[in-house]
Amino acid sequence: MRLLYYRWEAFTKTDIEAALNRLRIPYGTFDRATSDYDLEDPVFCEQLEKAIKKGGYDVVFGVNYTHKIAEVCWRTGVPYLSWSYDSPMSYGKMAYLSVDTSHLFMFDRAEVLSTLQSCPGAHIYHLPLAVDTSRMDRYYCSAGERKKYKSDISFVGQLYSRNSDQAINFLPDYEKGFLNALKDAQFRIYGEEVISKALSDDVMKAVSTPEFMKEMGEKAIYNELADKLPFIPARALWVMMTRGITRKERILLLSLLSNHFDTALYSYDDHEVLGKVRMCGEINYTHEMPKLFKTSLINLNITLRSILTGIPQRCLDIMACQGFLLSNYQTELAEHFTDGEDCAIYTSIEEALEKCSYYMKHDIERKRIAQNGYLKVKNEFTYDERLRTIFETVGIPL
Amino acid sequence: MSRILFLRWTAANETDLEETLKSAGHSVNSLYFSSVKRGEKPEWSAEDAERTKKELRQHSCDAVFSVNCYPVPARLCRDFGIPYIGWSYDSPIGYSDTEYFTYDTTRLFLFDRRECELLKAQIPGAHLTHLPLAVNTERLSRIRYTDQDRERYHASVSFLGQLYENTLEDALKLLPPYDAGYIRALIDSQLKIYGSEIIYNALPAGFIQELSQGEFRKYLFSLYHAKGAKDVGEELPPALLWKMIMEAVTRRERLLVLSLLGRRYDTVLYSGQEHPALHMLRQPGRAEYLNEMPKVFRFSEINLNITFRSIVSGIPLRCLDIMGSGGFLLSNYQPELAEYFQDGVDCAIYTGIDEAVEKCNYYLKHESERKRIAEEGYRKVQQEFRYEDRLRKIFEITGLRWK
């Protein structure tokens, strides 16, 4: 097998390359960037095709599905294996999902099922993410770093202050009430998707007022097909609303916790004031974040609500650093991990506060849980195993 | 032998309860009440209270029993030091007065487990036990079915139930557009979700108070109180709005399923009122519980259960009635139904309106499979949903001797 790895700027590129090396898979790399916002990028496609032919590659592998790569692979007859860690995926031209050469591995099982419904027969598989504990093991905090990253509770993530759902205010009262009800209902529920079921064609027609469409277009929310559709696609509205809910949950929970504990937020979204939260700005994913997770007593995961069932990368990163994870309920998280044994799970903001209070007082238990989480991801969430699964599923011998 | 004072208001399962108690050798003294209003604010008149008190003074008894749970008998029992047993077959059981749940003499049994858990969490010290309903297959097996019955009650699909004409959806036009849109969204989304209830936590605090203005308040008030009651501006319970939303969801689901089926198959609706929207169905009126309903269930190829959505997890009596009569049951998903029964084995379960239509289509074409499932369902309820077993448990928890 000669593999062409589309490297892109993915967070996980180092870990994937390390795994490819461990598995002794010879690979070349292709690093040219292409924007999700551009449906077409003929230069990119031309370059990629050239690279495939020149190198004699017989399989292309990349993180996050890119329809342009799918198109090139289909034209050249080379299998394209993609493994997503974003949800929902931005598909661009969905047609290339269904071609024989495209193989898409997605970490969110619910999204696998719904995508298969739109593209029956496509090669779409469920594959949870992975983490490289051996890399995480190599990070040690100096005394200065321990001081810098010390906190009771920490959270790394966006607040979606720009792409949130303020656009809803541009709707007439009835539609505004309608969408707010869906948000309020979804806000209190984990493990069940409520909003999309109510976004019927009639509803989408009703909300696609000129003002609202303009507002959403400006926020580049449905940029993929903007200007080309008479109505806002339900999916685009749904994505916007889930961001709004995530924002609300993150702000509420962090503010609430900051009243009781030293709570630090690492985010590039740092121009807001959230209760007594310490705004710490951005943090480097590869080299600094692991040190934070090793130092902070409790590490939060508050999943982006468009990730329906999947375990976000964040959870695995935290546990791989032997950090104690407190996460919102996610169906797949609860399947692989157990609340109180290898992580902690909350199903309401009140419960999150309760659990923080409890685990702040119970050091030994907290550390034991963190250790169990570490062992579990070390043994069951490895890149090697995932990559093997990918090649096996597609029928490519290693 | 125990002496039971049975306070009756003609709930469907009262006859079977009485029969089972008597068969086990207990004496049952029945007192009938008609003024008790079902579902909404229970109004046990002063006269009813007096009659009950008189009965308790004149004839000693070991326990007072009622279908559903009421504060007035509970208080009387507390005063007399006699156990009060309430076994629900509606859910929710009542909104405001819950103090009586914690009396030493009170023992309540709720067929909806989720409601039971919620109330237990809200009211510490409440004497609540989850207890699924039952069906009297002994009585049902004694019914004689004739060829005339077969002819009269035969149908491809039958449904017994109400369609709740005077609903929230009509009243939405009395509300400001924002609130109307808000409630509409809750109805639309709950309609598509089975197995969980999403409305309760979504209703903002004080929402019902906000809505309780002008014409809409008049509408809510009329649902909550008996006719002619005077509105003194009391706070209406949020649970009332919740229940009205669930009723609207139920109505929509029933209308949709029945009209889709009615267009394809010979479908019968047994209901108190005729519904012009369902003109493609046969609508012969009500079916009497004890003797007629079993015939409907036995001679219909498919019997629908479309649960009133305020029943969040429990198995409605209707499901057990259907299976106990040897009928084939197609029901919406209910968590407890899926625990005791299995789709395709002893009943059929749908989790979406399209699926309901698909399964009707399938099972109407596969007669022997359908009959096999109905037989399994009958066997299951005959063994595991017996009145005797339930009452035995009630007696045990109440501290009475069953035999």
Side-chain angles (χ1 to χ4, degrees), chain A residues 172-182 184-186 188-189 192-198 200 203, chain B residues 172 177-186 188-189 192-199 201-204:
Chain A
D173 278 352
Y174 183 89
E175 284 71 26
K176 203 191 306 188
F178 191 94
L179 295 184
N180 280 339
L182 295 180
D184 288 350
Q186 182 70 79
R188 303 292 300 248
I189 292 178
E192 174 92 59
E193 204 285 306
V194 167
I195 297 179
S196 66
K197 295 175 164 84
S200 63
V203 168
Chain B
L172 287 183
Y178 183 92
D179 297 328
Y182 197 94
I183 293 181
R184 157 68 57 224
L186 295 181
D188 284 1
S189 47
K192 302 227 164 131
I193 293 178
Y194 293 83
S196 36
E197 179 284 319
I198 62 159
I199 308 294
N201 287 329
L203 293 174

Side-chain angles (χ1 to χ4, degrees), chain A residues 140-285:
Chain A
Y140 287 99
C141 298
S142 62
E145 283 167 334
R146 267 200 297 278
K147 192 160 170 227
K148 178 177 176 187
Y149 294 121
K150 181 174 188 295
S151 58
D152 292 341
I153 299 174
S154 72
F155 176 70
V156 181
Q158 287 192 62
L159 296 179
Y160 302 103
S161 48
R162 276 188 315 120
N163 280 335
S164 182
D165 52 6
Q166 302 307 317
I168 291 182
N169 293 322
F170 285 77
L171 286 170
D173 278 352
Y174 183 89
E175 284 71 26
K176 203 191 306 188
F178 191 94
L179 295 184
N180 280 339
L182 295 180
K183 279 178 56 192
D184 288 350
Q186 182 70 79
F187 180 73
R188 303 292 300 248
I189 292 178
Y190 297 90
E192 174 92 59
E193 204 285 306
V194 167
I195 297 179
S196 66
K197 295 175 164 84
L199 298 181
S200 63
D201 287 345
D202 287 341
V203 168
M204 292 319 298
K205 276 193 201 133
V207 300
S208 295
T209 62
E211 296 82 15
F212 191 60
M213 288 184 83
K214 178 165 178 282
E215 190 63 24
M216 281 190 75
E218 272 171 12
K219 298 280 186 197
I221 288 181
Y222 70 120
N223 55 80
E224 290 169 7
L225 303 154
D227 307 332
K228 296 184 173 85
L229 294 175
F231 309 119
I232 298 169
R235 192 182 148 86
L237 177 58
W238 177 78
V239 166
M240 182 191 83
M241 289 173 71
T242 52
R243 279 196 205 135
I245 294 171
T246 309
R247 171 179 165 75
K248 179 175 172 184
E249 185 178 355
R250 290 179 178 183
I251 289 176
L252 269 176
L253 181 52
L254 290 171
S255 310
L256 177 65
L257 292 175
S258 72
N259 289 329
H260 301 270
F261 310 105
D262 172 42
T263 307
L265 168 64
Y266 290 83
S267 177
Y268 61 74
D269 243 328
D270 67 348
H271 52 277
E272 302 187 69
V273 174
L274 269 56
K276 302 199 189 105
V277 175
R278 271 193 297 121
M279 310 297 283
C280 303
E282 283 189 72
I283 188 169
N284 174 275
Y285 179 88

Side-chain angles (χ1 to χ4, degrees), chain A residues 98-118:
Chain A
S98 300
V99 302
D100 222 43
T101 46
S102 289
H103 301 266
L104 172 54
F105 293 82
M106 304 170 94
F107 80 105
D108 185 292
R109 188 173 52 222
E111 203 188 353
V112 171
L113 294 173
S114 64
T115 311
L116 276 171
Q117 275 182 353
S118 332

Side-chain angles (χ1 to χ4, degrees), chain B residues 166-184:
Chain B
N166 181 26
T167 72
L168 187 61
E169 286 191 89
D170 300 322
L172 287 183
K173 57 184 180 289
L174 303 171
L175 284 172
Y178 183 92
D179 297 328
Y182 197 94
I183 293 181
R184 157 68 57 224

Side-chain angles (χ1 to χ4, degrees), chain A residues 41-57:
Chain A
D41 191 348
V43 180
F44 173 87
C45 292
E46 199 189 302
Q47 301 270 354
L48 177 60
E49 188 166 348
K50 239 201 244 169
I52 292 173
K53 290 191 171 138
K54 186 164 171 217
Y57 294 107

